[in-house]
Amino acid sequence: MTDWLDAVQWDERGLVPVIAQERVSHDVLMFAWMNREALARTVELGEAVYWSRSRQRLWRKGEESGHVQKVHELRLDCDHDVLLLNVEQLGQPAGEATIACHTGRHSCFFELYRDGAWVSVEPVLKDPERIYK
Amino acid sequence: MTDWLDAVQWDERGLVPVIAQERVSHDVLMFAWMNREALARTVELGEAVYWSRSRQRLWRKGEESGHVQKVHELRLDCDHDVLLLNVEQLGQPAGEATIACHTGRHSCFFELYRDGAWVSVEPVLKDPERIYK
């Protein structure tokens, strides 16, 4: 069970960058970090578990918000130092746009570069105060 | 011109992680890093310019391989510390699968986790020896 974890090139902090891409829409939802334990737990649970650098602890995505990410595929890049998750973003009624961002938006990548400025181009789908009660 | 560059949360090395996603296929092609100059040059040229941590220099994607990435959109995430590029991957004849990875594959994310191992699931489209002559 450790071989595949040893194959990952952990950085000097023992972390690896992780990209979460939505299975249906193919949208890149968010970017986070994992340590060895987070990756092992992700595979075990079949749900994304990240390492929170600010809180210095494991963080099961959706543990507070309910915005759990079911992991369908896990890929490693050519240098073995970046992970790509193919996820089903849960937490919204079927048919509604999913929410991955703590700001209540679909994706964390909502600031678009335009003529020398960053412009917010995605709507807030749910007030964060209602997400984190 | 500096305001939008100052808005980026550069890490302690002055770098920011960058995800390159292909415009047409929506595939995540690769992951790399930019420093301030690389980001400024990317916007100036309309083509991806990264910071090579191994070579410690700016690296215009495709400078050797011809696999240039034309940048259509540039997005910043909610924490202002990750960039997402929407790119047109150049370098292959029209209609053929594009190549972004230095191994000659379409995407760098070609190792799939399966039953406790990483399995290479994408074909090599062009021998790297023919790419880097």
Side-chain angles (χ1 to χ4, degrees):
Chain A
M1 122 126 197
T2 52
D3 285 359
W4 65 277
L5 286 167
D6 291 336
V8 176
Q9 294 294 311
W10 307 99
D11 73 9
E12 64 285 359
R13 298 161 302 179
L15 302 179
V16 74
V18 186
I19 303 160
Q21 185 176 26
E22 193 172 41
R23 188 168 182 78
V24 181
S25 66
H26 296 143
D27 291 334
V28 175
L29 297 177
M30 55 176 282
F31 173 93
W33 298 85
M34 285 186 187
N35 62 6
R36 193 180 169 96
E37 194 185 346
L39 178 54
R41 288 284 289 155
T42 295
V43 166
E44 221 173 276
L45 285 176
E47 292 176 1
V49 177
Y50 300 108
W51 174 254
S52 168
R53 292 179 306 164
S54 54
R55 290 174 284 177
Q56 289 284 305
R57 67 166 180 86
L58 290 184
W59 152 51
R60 190 174 66 88
K61 173 68 182 168
E63 63 188 15
E64 284 183 67
S65 63
H67 300 156
V68 168
Q69 292 177 338
K70 192 172 167 189
V71 176
H72 283 268
E73 252 189 33
L74 185 60
R75 286 174 180 244
L76 189 59
D77 82 334
C78 50
D79 294 329
H80 287 196
D81 62 1
V82 185
L83 291 168
L84 176 63
L85 304 187
N86 180 299
V87 303
E88 184 183 348
Q89 179 63 63
L90 305 177
Q92 287 297 94
E96 283 188 27
T98 56
I99 299 175
C101 184
H102 76 287
T103 65
R105 291 177 176 87
H106 171 57
S107 156
C108 292
F109 295 93
F110 58 82
E111 301 228 40
L112 179 68
Y113 174 84
R114 197 182 285 158
D115 302 328
W118 299 102
V119 185
S120 178
V121 293
E122 305 283 348
V124 173
L125 300 171
K126 190 170 181 179
D127 185 336
E129 294 202 356
R130 284 178 52 227
I131 299 176
Y132 303 95
K133 289 175 277 239
Chain B
M1 121 122 199
T2 52
D3 285 359
W4 66 277
L5 286 168
D6 291 335
V8 177
Q9 294 295 312
W10 307 100
D11 74 9
E12 65 286 357
R13 297 162 302 180
L15 303 178
V16 74
V18 186
I19 303 159
Q21 185 175 26
E22 193 171 42
R23 189 168 181 78
V24 181
S25 66
H26 296 144
D27 291 335
V28 175
L29 297 177
M30 56 176 281
F31 173 93
W33 298 85
M34 286 187 185
N35 63 5
R36 193 180 169 95
E37 193 184 349
L39 178 53
R41 289 283 290 155
T42 295
V43 166
E44 221 173 275
L45 285 176
E47 292 176 1
V49 178
Y50 300 108
W51 174 255
S52 168
R53 291 180 306 165
S54 55
R55 290 173 286 177
Q56 289 283 304
R57 68 167 179 84
L58 290 183
W59 153 51
R60 190 174 66 86
K61 173 68 183 169
E63 63 188 15
E64 282 183 68
S65 63
H67 300 157
V68 168
Q69 292 177 337
K70 192 171 167 189
V71 177
H72 283 267
E73 254 189 30
L74 185 61
R75 286 175 180 242
L76 189 59
D77 81 335
C78 50
D79 294 328
H80 287 196
D81 60 2
V82 186
L83 291 167
L84 176 63
L85 304 186
N86 180 301
V87 303
E88 185 184 348
Q89 179 63 62
L90 305 177
Q92 288 295 94
E96 285 189 25
T98 56
I99 298 175
C101 184
H102 77 285
T103 64
R105 291 178 176 87
H106 171 57
S107 156
C108 293
F109 295 93
F110 58 82
E111 301 228 40
L112 179 67
Y113 173 84
R114 197 183 284 159
D115 302 327
W118 300 103
V119 185
S120 179
V121 293
E122 304 283 347
V124 173
L125 300 171
K126 190 171 180 178
D127 185 335
E129 293 203 359
R130 285 176 53 227
I131 299 176
Y132 303 95
K133 287 174 279 236

